[in-house]
Amino acid sequence: MLEALLWGAIASSSLVLGAALAMVRRWSDAVVGIVLAFGAGALIAGVAFELAEAGVAEGGALAVGIGLAAGAMAYFFADRAVEARSGRRGTGAAGAAGMPLAVGALLDGVPEQAVLGIGLATGDGVSVALLVAVFVSNLPESVGASADMLGAGRSRRFVPLLWLGVGAICTLASVGGRAIAEVAPPALTGVVDGFAAGALLVMLVDAMVPEARAKARDLAGLATVVGFAVAAGLSLLS
């Protein structure tokens, strides 16, 4: 459990790092977009090589398919609920600025890090490729959301505390993933892998890739391919 706690903390530490970077200086949209695109490419590789492939090997195609559908629907409806709530409160209000991104980081961070814990429980060790993908993809989300909240008047104490809380929940998800995998049948492990993959794919298509394209423009595609290549290479080496 301590090992899962350690790796979970490392993966989620980029959320707090992103908040710190936003407080130090203002980053251009182009830089945030390039990092976002790199993280998207890394996550695509993680979905393909670490979640879908490992899930099928562990629990079978049916289990992964069920998990994919459940994860996609769960993220879709949770994200719609967040958007509806922020819309009612007004996106320009200090209370709402940046909060949807923070909740989004929580929604995709929990299944991502649960999979890290599952890898430890099954004896495969931590997936370096998935760890890198999670770490890198968290950064622009945290930087962007933190900048929005600071610009809307949130205190410099509230912002890092918020990300510490999100990071703590995501870290505990790694421990929970390991605990579930130790007692669950292989089919359930496949469902969890599929759930994470489904949630990530919806998040990538609905939010991460469009935002990367809007911010980095023509460089987004190249950065995405570089992120995919790096994560795929790490996955093949591990």
Side-chain angles (χ1 to χ4, degrees):
M1 289 299 175
L2 287 177
E3 187 179 12
L5 190 66
L6 172 63
W7 287 113
I10 291 173
S12 61
S13 65
S14 57
L15 294 170
V16 181
L17 176 61
L21 291 174
M23 295 172 71
V24 169
R25 55 164 292 183
R26 180 174 179 82
W27 299 90
S28 69
D29 283 350
V31 171
V32 174
I34 289 171
V35 176
L36 199 62
F38 182 93
L43 283 178
I44 293 170
V47 168
F49 296 104
E50 302 296 332
L51 299 179
E53 185 178 28
V56 170
E58 185 70 25
L62 179 60
V64 173
I66 292 172
L68 276 168
M73 296 299 288
Y75 184 90
F76 177 83
F77 286 113
D79 188 55
R80 297 292 83 77
V82 171
E83 286 185 357
R85 180 172 175 79
S86 67
R88 286 194 300 270
R89 296 174 63 182
T91 54
M99 290 302 292
L101 279 176
V103 176
L106 181 63
L107 290 176
D108 57 66
V110 169
E112 284 172 355
Q113 298 203 195
V115 171
L116 290 177
I118 289 172
L120 292 171
T122 56
D124 297 330
V126 66
S127 167
V128 177
L130 187 59
L131 181 67
V132 170
V134 172
F135 188 94
V136 173
S137 64
N138 281 341
L139 270 176
E141 285 184 291
S142 178
V143 170
S146 299
D148 286 347
M149 286 185 279
L150 290 169
R154 284 290 191 182
S155 73
R156 297 175 69 87
R157 180 182 179 185
F158 171 84
V159 173
L161 286 176
L162 171 67
W163 288 110
L164 279 171
V166 173
I169 295 172
C170 292
T171 299
L172 291 175
S174 298
V175 179
R178 173 158 190 162
I180 291 172
E182 286 179 345
V183 299
L188 183 57
T189 300
V191 170
V192 174
D193 282 343
F195 186 96
L200 285 174
L201 286 172
V202 176
M203 183 274 294
L204 284 165
V205 175
D206 282 0
M208 202 166 180
V209 171
E211 187 175 352
R213 172 65 182 174
K215 292 182 182 299
R217 298 186 179 273
D218 293 342
L219 294 175
L222 289 175
T224 301
V225 173
V226 172
F228 181 91
V230 170
L234 290 171
S235 178
L236 293 173
L237 289 174
S238 61

